[in-house]
Amino acid sequence: MKRCIILMMDSFGIGAASDAAEFGDSGADTLGHIVKWYGKHRPSIPFQLPHLASIGLVNAHTLSTGRPLPYSIGSEPIKGAYTYAKEMSRGKDTLSGHWELTGVPVDFDWGYFPDVPHCFPEDIIEGLITGGNLPGVLGEKHASGTEIIKELGCEHMKTGKPIIYTSADSVLQIAAHEETFGLERLYTLCEKAFDLVRPYHIARVIARPFVGTAAENFTRTGNRHDYAVAAPEKTLVDRVYEEAGGTYAIGKIADIFAHRGITKQYKATGLSALFDATLRALEDAGDRSLIFTNFVDFDSSYGHRRDAEGYGKGLMLIDSRLPELEACLTPGDLVLVTADHGCDPTFKGSDHTREHVPMLFFGKGVKPGPLAPMETYSDGGQILAHHLGLTLKRGTLQEVMDHEAR
C-alpha cells in the first residue's frame, strides 16, 4: 500500500530566500532565530527537536543558509531524505504556498488593501452593511486579529457592528461574537464579502468568531472558516481525489482548496488535536491516498503574534509526537514535512517572511541523505505524485524511495 502524508508546518521557514530583499525580508530565518532566541532568553530550557533533526531538518537548514544553527537541537542519525525549496510564486501567502506545492504556482499578483485608515473600498463596506442588514461596521484597517478584538470587541457587542480588518496578506477578515452576533450570521456575512472582494483579486475572506465578556477574556474560537479562491488548474489534491485513493484533509486544508477535491474533512483546533486527527485519517485512508494536515497555530498563534517561545514549544510538541506517526506507517507510506512560507517570530512587523521551506521525507522505504535544492515547491509535490502513480504539470522528479522497497 502506498500513501502520502503531508505535515504542513504553516510558516516554518528555514532561511531567507534569494529574493527576500524584494519583499523586505533580508535576514529572516524562522528556525534559526527561534533557536537563537531560546539560547539567549531561555538558556535553562533545552530546545531540542531530535526527531525532526533525524529526518534532516538541521541539515536542510544548513543547505538553505550556508551556516550551522547557533545551538544544537539534535544530532540523531539521519533517516530521512532532505533539502530545501524555493518559492516561484509571486507572493508569500498561504494559498500560493499550498497551490505551488501541489503543482500550481501563482504567476499573477493578488490584490491587497492599503495600510491606511478606512482601507476598504466604499462599495465593499456599503455592500456588507446593506447585504448584511448591519447598523455599520468597526475597524476598517490593518490589525492583529487578537488585538483588534481587545480594542473593539466590547463596542461590537454593544452596537452589533462586526469588526472588519485586514493584514499584509491578500485577505479580508470579519470578527464577531459567536453568541451576541451569531456564528451562522457571521458565515453568511463572509459569503457576501467573498462575492464583494472578487473584483479586487483578494485571495481569502476569513470568519473570525470569538467569545468572552470583556477585553481581557475575549478568545477566538476554533470555528474559523476561510472562503478561498479556487486554484485555476487542477492540483495534486484534485488529481488524487479523481484518479487515486482520495484526499483526507485535516484542519484548514479543505478551506484552502475551496473544498474541491476533498474526500473527507477532519476539523480540529490546536496542534495536539490536529495531530490526533492526522492519526485518525491515517486509519481511514486506503491505498494511493493523500493525508494533508495544516498546523495553522505556527502561523496564526506564534508567527504573526511574534511569539518565539510559543513557536518553539509548538515545534517541540510536534517533534515529540512524530514517533507516534512513524509507528503507524506501513511499508510504502511516504511522509513529507514542509511549510508554505516563513513567519519569523523575531522579525520586524507581523507579516509572513519570504524564506526557503524544508522538504523532509521519511518512511519505511526512504533512502536517507541529501536531495538537490528545489527551484519550486512543486518539485516536492512531484515526488508525492510519482509515489502515487501520478504526475504534476510542474515539478521535476527526485527519487527518495529505495528501489528495493518498491
Side-chain angles (χ1 to χ4, degrees):
M1 182 163 67
K2 293 182 178 181
R3 299 177 297 182
C4 291
I5 302 98
I6 302 174
L7 304 183
M8 178 63 80
M9 311 281 275
D10 198 316
S11 84
F12 189 40
I14 56 170
S18 57
D19 60 356
E22 299 175 23
F23 296 81
D25 294 334
S26 294
D29 182 356
T30 299
L31 172 60
H33 288 155
I34 291 171
V35 174
K36 184 177 181 179
W37 187 94
Y38 267 84
K40 179 179 180 180
H41 298 280
R42 298 290 184 272
S44 63
I45 299 175
F47 180 65
Q48 293 289 292
L49 303 174
H51 302 295
L52 286 166
S54 74
I55 58 174
L57 176 61
V58 176
N59 304 62
H61 178 271
T62 301
L63 285 175
S64 168
T65 64
R67 60 181 182 273
L69 287 169
Y71 304 98
S72 172
I73 61 171
S75 57
E76 299 289 326
I78 299 298
K79 59 184 178 184
Y82 59 86
T83 189
Y84 68 88
K86 302 176 183 178
E87 185 170 12
M88 67 180 297
S89 296
R90 290 161 65 171
K92 50 176 179 176
D93 56 275
T94 296
L95 260 62
S96 296
H98 283 72
W99 289 4
E100 182 168 330
L101 175 66
T102 55
V104 185
V106 176
D107 58 4
F108 57 86
D109 292 321
W110 294 112
Y112 299 89
F113 297 114
D115 191 0
V116 297
H118 301 286
C119 61
F120 301 110
E122 287 187 17
D123 64 306
I124 292 178
I125 298 301
E126 290 302 318
L128 288 173
I129 292 173
T130 301
N133 192 26
L134 302 172
V137 300
L138 302 173
E140 297 186 66
K141 61 182 180 180
H142 282 237
S144 155
T146 51
E147 292 303 315
I148 202 167
I149 61 174
K150 291 180 183 178
E151 176 190 350
L152 299 173
C154 290
E155 185 178 354
H156 156 69
M157 293 175 69
K158 181 179 179 179
T159 64
K161 299 177 181 179
I163 304 167
I164 317 295
Y165 66 104
T166 188
S167 68
D169 292 347
S170 180
V171 65
L172 182 149
Q173 304 189 68
I174 305 180
H177 199 280
E178 281 197 3
E179 297 164 0
T180 63
F181 191 85
L183 188 59
E184 292 304 319
R185 187 183 179 198
L186 173 59
Y187 290 160
T188 299
L189 186 63
C190 286
E191 290 172 3
K192 295 181 185 297
F194 189 59
D195 289 334
L196 290 167
V197 301
R198 284 183 183 273
Y200 296 93
H201 305 291
I202 301 301
R204 288 183 296 163
V205 169
I206 305 178
R208 291 289 196 175
F210 65 96
V211 293
T213 57
E216 57 267 20
N217 62 28
F218 286 141
T219 305
R220 297 197 299 194
T221 76
N223 291 319
R224 162 184 172 157
H225 187 74
D226 293 41
Y227 299 82
V229 174
E233 303 174 39
K234 288 185 178 181
T235 67
L236 178 62
V237 168
D238 297 304
R239 298 284 306 284
V240 175
Y241 176 79
E242 295 173 359
E243 304 172 41
T247 301
Y248 295 75
I250 296 93
K252 70 174 187 175
I253 290 297
D255 286 352
I256 290 170
F257 288 94
H259 292 261
R260 194 181 76 191
I262 305 300
T263 303
K264 186 174 181 179
Q265 179 181 4
Y266 303 74
K267 293 186 177 182
T269 303
L271 296 176
S272 287
L274 287 163
F275 206 97
D276 290 341
T278 304
L279 298 180
R280 291 199 301 274
L282 196 60
E283 293 178 354
D284 297 340
D287 190 32
R288 299 183 69 214
S289 57
L290 173 65
I291 298 100
F292 199 162
T293 303
N294 178 287
F295 292 100
V296 65
D297 301 70
F298 290 117
D299 185 54
S300 62
S301 297
Y302 309 130
H304 284 300
R305 303 286 81 80
R306 294 310 191 232
D307 180 2
E309 183 171 19
Y311 208 128
K313 288 179 178 178
L315 289 172
M316 287 190 282
L317 172 63
I318 295 299
D319 186 85
S320 72
R321 299 202 63 183
L322 282 181
E324 295 177 56
L325 173 61
E326 192 169 10
C328 296
L329 300 179
T330 60
D333 287 341
L334 178 60
V335 183
L336 169 62
V337 178
T338 188
D340 51 348
H341 49 72
C343 199
D344 186 338
T346 72
F347 210 62
K348 60 187 178 183
S350 61
D351 191 13
H352 294 157
T353 43
R354 182 77 164 187
E355 296 184 52
H356 297 148
V357 301
M359 288 284 174
L360 314 176
F361 297 88
F362 72 95
K364 295 182 183 300
V366 168
K367 179 172 57 180
L371 301 171
M374 297 179 178
E375 295 298 319
T376 167
Y377 297 179
S378 295
D379 288 351
Q382 182 70 282
I383 290 172
L384 302 180
H386 178 76
H387 189 63
L388 298 177
L390 305 169
T391 58
L392 294 182
K393 181 178 178 181
R394 294 182 176 88
T396 57
L397 176 63
Q398 291 175 296
E399 189 62 81
V400 299
M401 304 294 283
D402 282 326
H403 291 287
E404 296 172 359
R406 288 182 172 278

